[in-house]
Amino acid sequence: MYTKKEIESQIIELISDISEQDISYADIDTPFTDLGVDSLMALELSVHIEREYDIYLDEDDLMKLTCINDVFSIIDDRL
């Protein structure tokens, strides 16, 4: 089982890789749009979540992912 801190680190690292920028400075409530994450990048993030945590995200779930904290919440709710 993952700790919240492990999930946080993994998600921040993944978003940094996807957006090709360092977002470690960002507040977890900073909107993805402010971090340069677009809908295609969010889809890539969802694929990672499905693989890493065995959590399927449908279109409604993707629409709810607007910031890092949303990602933590959905993973935490389903694990």
Side-chain angles (χ1 to χ4, degrees):
M1 191 57 72
Y2 298 98
T3 67
K4 181 173 172 121
K5 198 65 171 169
E6 288 171 330
I7 293 170
E8 180 180 321
S9 294
Q10 290 173 351
I11 297 301
I12 289 172
E13 182 178 334
L14 178 64
I15 294 170
S16 289
D17 289 347
I18 291 170
S19 66
E20 298 179 349
Q21 58 183 324
D22 178 20
I23 64 156
S24 61
Y25 64 88
D27 182 80
I28 61 172
D29 292 312
T30 302
F32 281 149
T33 54
D34 291 353
L35 298 175
V37 177
D38 61 22
S39 58
L40 202 53
M41 292 173 187
L43 184 59
E44 189 174 341
L45 177 61
S46 74
V47 169
H48 174 79
I49 291 168
E50 289 177 25
R51 283 188 203 150
E52 184 69 27
Y53 305 105
D54 198 26
I55 296 172
Y56 173 74
L57 301 175
D58 61 24
E59 191 173 321
D60 290 335
D61 293 327
L62 288 175
M63 298 302 290
K64 295 175 188 172
L65 300 180
T66 61
C67 66
I68 297 168
N69 195 37
D70 293 340
V71 177
F72 299 149
S73 294
I74 202 163
I75 292 171
D76 189 45
D77 287 347
R78 297 195 184 172
L79 284 181

